Amino acid sequence: MNALVWLLGGYGVLLASHFMTKEPIERLLPPDPNRPTPAALAGNSRDYAANHSVIVSGQYFMAIAGLSPILSAIVGLYWGWIPAIVWLLLGVTFLGTPTEYIHMMASVRQNGATMGEITRKIIGGGTGVVTTLALWFLGTITYAIFMTTMAKTMETVPMAAIPTIMLTVIAICFGYLRAYKGISVAKGTIVSLIVWIFFIYLGIKHPIALSYNTWVIILICYTFIAAYLPVWMILAPRDFLNSGVLVGGIGLITIALLIGMPKFIFPAFVGWETARGFLWPAIMGTITCGAINATHSMMSAGIASRQLSNEKHAFGVVSFGTKGETVLCIATIGLIATQFGYDHFISSVVTNAGGAFSTAFANIASQYLSIPQSIGMTIGALTLTGFVITTMDAYARGARYSVEELANHFPVLESLQLKKPIVSTFFVVLVGTLLAFYTPFSQLWAGFALVSLTFAIFPYGIMIIKKLESGQPFDGHFYGWIIIPGAFMWISSAAALAFFVYSFFAKGQAVPAAMSIFITILFILGTIQIYNKINQIRNAASMPPSNAAVEP
């Protein structure tokens, strides 16, 4: 395989799928451009802001991307690059983008509620509460992992210190100018990125070496502020501006590979079973970001849905975000497959995927673009830190939303003042920090990664329930986009849970095994409540009206 064919072919399929699937996906929940969104009704408040669709797209993209597309794409090469690209393209087109659209539109129609609250209202209280707990823990553990990852990266690459800190300052100025001075997105973006390029240069010339513990303290304070302050002030503008870094990083990889046109030295297909397990369902639990990852509902339902200015923008936002992840996966695979063989992949790449990405990035930038190694490493580090910090603060904010929704339903939590944003933010940051320092959080994450599959049954269940409640028949379109994919995801999720629970126990990994059992309970509970809800609707529809006239 040639890198030229790989990139142009993969990008071309994604571009075509964006335009070809827009109409059938929007038919599932037709957008109403005349219906006010929660953000439009609320105005600029702490958690609602009717942002420009470009800003929402950039913020959503960066929040769901994180490091996961890079890591999952690399680990997903266990079976070779053919299974990886097939699953990525089919998954994002027919599963990932549709489910994220359902998440976002369902949230918009429920005043910006999270998926936990939506599940509680439509599927059942028990499933909703457990889902909200799972979302809270997921957001908190994501903050814990990414905070420590960010601190290690900043300690290792001191040249990234100044540009990373200054981007936050620039983002605050950008948010203020957008909210109160009406500056255009284009003008604000161009000026912000030019100023930031200057600080990148300054960072290279004057690196700031701080200890790991110092960076931890800085990041704890930053997360608290970003998760608490109004969304338009830091989180949305910073994530949006960071998306420019990501696009630039992907652009550099793409240009370098297109100029050099190196050939793949990585095998196309390794086998149906590898050290990672059987191809199906293991690849679905390995490559989630870039294909389908239902944990992204924390961003589409609750974060992005509270910024949407018009329902007609929903598909564009989720399609850009989900397919943007896939673009990153394709670029990452092209990068790794042209730089490493399978033996090297097994011995060193898998154990340090982030380091392998940065090294390969610097190598091709130097080899094909004549960019010095030091600058290449800095750009690579800024790309990685851009992923990490945007995911870190966004998931911490999502966890805060879940805590506040739980406090709405449990008096004991309300009595602890957890409905107040400043208290719920402090709670999330405190628990996340404790998890980072006093628990085997990497093992917790290994088990909790299965949530990305388990949660996928909920959007399909919600659509089936709402369709039955409307009294409309299931047509071919509904079967093609909901029933068949929903059945596939249910079977695949059940198989993946069984496989990974067995695998964790067989390897003696008690923590992820316990997490997997919790997720299995959530999966079973959700399945039962969806089944009961469907039967309840059908039984109600089959009963004659109570006030019907008696036939003579």
Side-chain angles (χ1 to χ4, degrees):
M1 172 60 71
N2 184 287
L4 175 68
V5 177
W6 172 263
L7 293 176
L8 295 184
Y11 294 174
V13 170
L14 291 175
L15 185 63
S17 72
H18 170 78
F19 292 103
M20 294 175 67
T21 62
K22 182 178 187 295
E23 188 274 335
I25 290 176
E26 285 189 332
R27 276 177 59 192
L28 296 172
L29 285 169
D32 181 357
N34 298 316
R35 179 173 179 162
T37 64
L41 292 172
N44 283 347
S45 61
R46 184 183 311 282
D47 297 321
Y48 294 84
N51 276 320
H52 193 286
S53 60
V54 173
I55 293 179
V56 183
S57 297
Q59 188 278 318
Y60 169 72
F61 174 36
M62 286 302 296
I64 67 172
L67 284 174
S68 297
I70 294 175
L71 301 182
S72 64
I74 292 175
V75 179
L77 286 171
Y78 259 111
W79 299 274
W81 53 261
I82 285 182
I85 190 63
V86 169
W87 168 236
L88 281 167
L89 294 178
L90 290 179
V92 74
T93 300
F94 298 105
L95 301 170
T97 303
T99 52
E100 278 297 271
Y101 178 77
I102 293 169
H103 292 150
M104 181 172 287
M105 285 299 292
S107 178
V108 168
R109 298 286 170 82
Q110 296 283 344
N111 196 36
T114 69
M115 273 306 293
E117 186 68 6
I118 295 167
T119 302
R120 186 190 68 82
K121 291 179 178 179
I122 297 176
I123 295 177
T127 300
V129 170
V130 177
T131 300
T132 303
L133 281 169
L135 288 172
W136 162 73
F137 189 79
L138 175 68
T140 304
I141 198 69
T142 300
Y143 152 68
I145 292 173
F146 280 45
M147 182 265 288
T148 55
T149 302
M150 181 80 175
K152 291 175 183 176
T153 303
M154 297 304 294
E155 180 189 31
T156 305
V157 189
M159 291 178 291
I162 290 178
T164 298
I165 293 171
M166 290 310 300
L167 183 59
T168 301
V169 178
I170 294 170
I172 293 173
C173 296
F174 179 84
Y176 171 80
L177 292 173
R178 282 283 302 153
Y180 290 100
K181 300 299 180 181
I183 189 173
S184 68
V185 175
K187 184 183 294 185
T189 302
I190 292 171
V191 172
S192 297
L193 292 180
I194 290 174
V195 172
W196 193 48
I197 289 172
F198 167 74
F199 285 112
I200 292 176
Y201 169 80
L202 205 62
I204 294 172
K205 289 295 184 180
H206 303 283
I208 298 177
L210 300 176
S211 68
Y212 170 78
N213 289 335
T214 301
W215 277 115
V216 165
I217 294 172
I218 292 173
L219 292 171
I220 289 173
C221 295
Y222 165 79
T223 304
F224 179 84
I225 294 170
Y228 171 72
L229 288 180
V231 67
W232 58 265
M233 188 176 290
I234 293 183
L235 188 135
R238 183 191 168 91
D239 289 7
F240 167 69
L241 292 175
N242 249 326
S243 67
V245 184
L246 177 54
V247 171
I250 295 175
L252 284 176
I253 294 173
T254 301
I255 293 170
L257 292 177
L258 291 179
I259 291 175
M261 289 190 292
K263 292 183 177 180
F264 282 20
I265 58 176
F266 201 91
F269 182 69
V270 176
W272 296 103
E273 183 181 6
T274 66
R276 183 72 179 175
F278 291 102
L279 177 61
W280 182 88
I283 196 170
M284 296 179 65
T286 302
I287 303 179
T288 53
C289 292
I292 177 172
N293 186 338
T295 61
H296 291 162
S297 63
M298 286 193 74
M299 301 299 105
S300 53
I303 303 289
S305 64
R306 299 185 186 189
Q307 300 178 63
L308 208 64
S309 62
N310 195 301
E311 288 186 0
K312 68 181 182 181
H313 299 144
F315 175 81
V317 170
V318 299
S319 185
F320 176 79
T322 54
K323 291 180 177 65
E325 276 194 312
T326 314
V327 166
L328 180 55
C329 288
I330 292 172
T332 298
I333 292 174
L335 192 64
I336 298 299
T338 58
Q339 299 291 307
F340 303 103
Y342 195 74
D343 290 339
H344 195 178
F345 169 80
I346 295 296
S347 63
S348 60
V349 173
V350 171
T351 57
N352 185 19
F357 174 85
S358 297
T359 300
F361 184 99
N363 287 342
I364 66 162
S366 173
Q367 185 176 356
Y368 301 127
L369 301 178
S370 300
I371 295 176
Q373 284 276 347
S374 60
I375 296 178
M377 287 295 291
T378 302
I379 295 173
L382 285 173
T383 304
L384 288 173
T385 56
F387 296 148
V388 172
I389 198 168
T390 51
T391 302
M392 179 183 74
D393 57 18
Y395 273 82
R397 192 180 195 95
R400 170 169 77 78
Y401 291 170
S402 294
V403 170
E404 291 167 9
E405 288 183 347
L406 286 170
N408 284 329
H409 304 295
F410 293 95
V412 64
L413 297 180
E414 184 177 4
S415 67
L416 296 174
Q417 305 299 313
L418 286 173
K419 286 178 65 175
K420 294 182 177 179
I422 193 167
V423 179
S424 57
T425 303
F426 177 79
F427 177 73
V428 169
V429 173
L430 175 63
V431 174
T433 303
L434 293 175
L435 287 172
F437 286 100
Y438 299 107
T439 67
F441 61 84
S442 60
Q443 293 186 41
L444 288 171
W445 180 256
F448 223 88
L450 290 173
V451 173
S452 63
L453 289 179
T454 305
F455 274 20
I457 67 171
F458 295 138
Y460 294 111
I462 287 169
M463 288 301 298
I464 292 170
I465 289 169
K466 299 304 289 184
K467 190 77 167 180
L468 289 171
E469 287 179 341
S470 71
Q472 299 176 1
F474 291 4
D475 55 13
H477 171 264
F478 195 79
Y479 273 102
W481 288 95
I482 297 297
I483 301 299
I484 295 174
F488 172 75
M489 286 307 302
W490 190 93
I491 294 170
S492 298
S493 297
L497 283 169
F499 171 79
F500 281 107
V501 167
Y502 171 79
S503 177
F504 289 142
F505 273 111
K507 295 176 182 177
Q509 297 176 332
V511 175
M515 292 301 305
S516 300
I517 291 174
F518 168 77
I519 298 164
T520 302
I521 293 171
L522 173 59
F523 178 78
I524 294 171
L525 178 61
T527 300
I528 292 173
Q529 290 212 292
I530 290 172
Y531 176 78
N532 290 340
K533 187 75 172 183
I534 290 172
N535 278 342
Q536 179 184 343
I537 296 169
R538 284 178 170 170
N539 291 336
S542 63
M543 293 178 63
S546 58
N547 59 347
V550 179
E551 291 292 332

